[in-house]
Amino acid sequence: MKDTKQQWFKDAKYGLFIHWGLYSILAGEYKGRKTDRIAEWIENDFDIPVEDYEKLAEQFNPTGFDADAFVKRAKEQWGMKYIVLTAKHHEGFAMYDSKVSDFNVVKATPYGRDILKELQLACEKYDVKMGFYYSQAQDWDDPNGYMHRKDNSQRDFQKYFDEKCKPQVKELLENYGDICLIWFDTPMGITVAQTQELIDLVKSIQPDCLLSGRTGNHMGDYMTTGDNYIPRLPYEGDWEVPATVNDTWGFNKFDTNWKSADHILSLLLKIVSRGGNYLLNVGPTADGIVPEKCVEVLNEVGKYVTENGEAIYGTRPLGVYAYEIPGIEFTGREHKLYVHVLSPRIRIELMNVGNRLTGAYLVSSGQKLEYRFMKSCEGDSMIEVELPEELHNKKNYCVCLELEEEEPIFESIKG
Ligand code: FHN
């Protein structure tokens, strides 16, 4: 079982992933050809020559980017507790002032500003935890970095590892204040010894900095699921789901397959009830703007999250309730079972929850609610909670059941 021993990570539940780099300029299209894969992979997938790809830097001038507004919105409107930005994705381009490689936002672009520094200052101002994504094995710009689905046999990975990867990771840890985590990704052929070196390097500079589950050889500090994969059952220990709102991480102007706010909210609640964190991604445009539709979805989810924070942050994993009730998700903490009502109803009816209640209230307002214990016609336990009339046609609100017992008693279904 992975245990970060860090309360902030256990309590956070909802974080913002930002995939932003030169691929945002191409936005899913190169020389008239559209990619049908994730947009940040376009260099690898279309075999774009490195010299051509590097020239994109000359166009990178995201004048619409405002780190302060970005972080403020993530915290206050979207309810996110930490932010993880791509410091260097597989393309090899550093979004900060790196002394190790000139292929970076300060030296190679007309923008010339250190995006990570701006993010750091904003995160400190709004008291938001900041982490960096770093592609430790794949680097398509470095002749010795790995490339997926390509012949890597002639590459001297150790050289890239010693001369670019480790020195850049060191820069990140030394120059940007407290880093809550480094989100290493796609370890590919990295050895146990190399992984250990990375871990030692990170911890020697910032002992509290966590390493993602993809650091290599399952040696990270917590479990990272597959992209958009949610464990079906409660999963013990600390874990996180990296996830997209549409079907790409980096901006793709053709991808309009946005999940609805209701869908995202139900995914968040499933993850939270099973004990994980939801690291939800935005892919800003080359101008530094989050697509409008994505903002709308995150605003709507954020409204729920901020209004019902007590039922989300710092909650602990629940056991398995025997039934799937359409339109209902549960979360919990000591002596409390939160019932998230995601589709309209007149009352809440919960079969096979064997607890005694000491109270029930609407989380957003504290309004007390009537409840009673019943037996179903078959003799199963049943709790009914009456909902105020003004809620009968509403969805997306949360009811707290105060339990006499510490944990919910989820009874099994009798045949
Ligand atoms: O290859 C990357 C991908 O571009 C993206 O960064 C995701 C995020 O989890 N990780 C890798 C694929 O799993």
Side-chain angles (χ1 to χ4, degrees):
M1 182 186 107
K2 295 281 188 187
D3 181 1
T4 59
K5 301 200 174 60
Q6 291 199 29
Q7 204 55 42
W8 80 263
F9 187 85
K10 296 174 195 292
D11 291 348
K13 304 299 167 198
Y14 196 27
L16 178 67
F17 217 172
I18 308 174
H19 275 68
W20 197 27
L22 298 182
Y23 42 79
S24 315
I25 298 169
L26 296 179
E29 182 176 22
Y30 181 66
K31 294 193 171 164
R33 206 174 140 207
K34 296 178 193 170
T35 181
D36 60 3
R37 291 181 181 269
I38 42 184
E40 69 283 4
W41 271 72
I42 196 163
E43 179 182 7
N44 185 89
D45 291 338
F46 283 6
D47 291 318
I48 301 177
V50 167
E51 315 75 67
D52 292 0
Y53 195 85
E54 281 180 347
K55 287 208 185 81
L56 287 173
E58 294 163 17
Q59 294 173 48
F60 193 71
N61 196 16
T63 47
F65 178 66
D66 177 347
D68 194 280
F70 216 105
V71 173
K72 187 174 196 299
R73 181 166 65 178
K75 177 175 176 166
E76 292 172 5
Q77 255 178 287
W78 297 345
M80 287 150 163
K81 297 288 188 188
Y82 62 114
I83 296 183
V84 181
L85 172 74
T86 46
K88 187 206 80 169
H89 202 267
H90 310 329
E91 63 178 358
F93 179 73
M95 295 288 275
Y96 68 98
D97 188 8
S98 174
K99 306 284 177 272
V100 177
S101 157
D102 285 351
F103 190 39
N104 74 61
V105 67
V106 173
K107 304 222 173 55
T109 76
Y111 191 59
R113 280 159 53 182
D114 186 329
I115 285 167
L116 265 49
K117 188 45 83 182
E118 296 185 13
L119 190 77
Q120 177 202 344
L121 298 177
C123 283
E124 285 170 359
K125 174 169 167 193
Y126 294 105
D127 193 22
V128 173
K129 297 259 178 208
M130 181 185 68
F132 293 137
Y133 174 108
Y134 190 87
S135 175
Q136 77 277 39
Q138 292 200 73
D139 191 308
W140 305 330
D141 193 65
D142 190 294
N144 292 309
Y146 283 128
M147 285 189 95
H148 193 45
R149 293 189 224 101
K150 299 278 166 0
D151 178 13
N152 291 307
S153 60
Q154 299 309 307
R155 291 166 196 259
D156 182 353
F157 179 72
Q158 188 66 45
K159 184 171 160 58
Y160 151 78
F161 190 63
D162 289 336
E163 293 176 10
K164 184 166 182 185
C165 172
K166 285 190 290 173
Q168 283 201 329
V169 170
K170 191 160 178 282
E171 287 181 325
L172 293 175
L173 289 155
E174 284 178 346
N175 300 333
Y176 297 92
D178 288 343
I179 313 297
C180 68
L181 59 86
I182 302 250
W183 219 93
F184 290 117
D185 196 14
T186 70
M188 295 191 61
I190 199 165
T191 63
V192 170
Q194 287 162 339
T195 312
Q196 190 60 53
E197 252 190 277
L198 265 189
I199 296 172
D200 293 345
L201 171 67
V202 171
K203 304 284 181 186
S204 69
I205 305 172
Q206 295 206 28
D208 289 338
C209 179
L210 297 175
L211 293 100
S212 69
R214 298 190 187 161
T215 301
N217 302 286
H218 304 288
M219 290 160 71
D221 288 316
Y222 59 86
M223 189 276 276
T224 302
T225 67
D227 297 345
N228 292 302
Y229 273 63
I230 301 176
R232 186 174 292 284
L233 297 174
Y235 185 90
E236 245 196 287
D238 295 332
W239 55 278
E240 176 184 71
V241 178
T244 51
V245 183
N246 54 353
D247 296 322
T248 180
W249 303 88
F251 177 63
N252 180 343
K253 62 188 168 198
F254 304 108
D255 185 344
T256 55
N257 193 24
W258 303 105
K259 295 175 189 69
S260 67
D262 284 359
H263 188 183
I264 295 281
L265 180 59
S266 74
L267 298 177
L268 168 67
L269 295 171
K270 280 184 204 303
I271 293 167
V272 172
S273 77
R274 292 166 201 179
N277 286 346
Y278 193 27
L279 183 62
L280 191 56
N281 182 72
V282 298
T285 63
D287 271 347
I289 310 286
V290 179
E292 211 179 294
K293 189 70 199 146
C294 181
V295 170
E296 276 170 31
V297 171
L298 295 181
N299 283 350
E300 206 178 320
V301 176
K303 188 169 179 301
Y304 186 90
V305 172
T306 50
E307 275 178 14
N308 297 286
E310 76 153 87
I312 293 173
Y313 310 120
T315 56
R316 58 193 204 188
L318 286 178
V320 181
Y321 177 55
Y323 290 104
E324 185 77 41
I325 310 180
I328 296 275
E329 295 290 344
F330 296 112
T331 56
R333 65 173 73 245
E334 252 175 71
H335 294 290
K336 290 190 174 188
L337 178 64
Y338 296 103
V339 185
H340 300 263
V341 181
L342 307 180
S343 64
R345 63 202 63 222
I346 289 166
R347 65 184 61 82
I348 296 170
E349 295 171 319
L350 298 180
M351 271 176 73
N352 294 72
V353 174
N355 294 88
R356 305 295 306 170
L357 302 194
T358 57
Y361 62 89
L362 197 60
V363 171
S364 59
S365 64
Q367 184 186 342
K368 297 237 175 300
L369 302 175
E370 298 286 316
Y371 57 90
R372 60 176 168 269
F373 302 96
M374 327 243 308
K375 285 268 180 220
S376 73
C377 299
E378 292 72 35
D380 294 302
S381 67
M382 172 85 98
I383 294 173
E384 280 193 359
V385 182
E386 289 302 325
L387 297 166
E389 209 176 322
E390 60 273 19
L391 287 182
H392 290 180
N393 293 318
K394 295 240 160 71
K395 58 178 181 175
N396 298 353
Y397 57 89
C398 180
V399 168
C400 175
L401 307 183
E402 294 173 289
L403 312 177
E404 211 166 278
E405 302 79 10
E406 189 175 326
E407 300 284 338
I409 301 171
F410 290 148
E411 297 165 343
S412 53
I413 308 172
K414 292 167 202 80

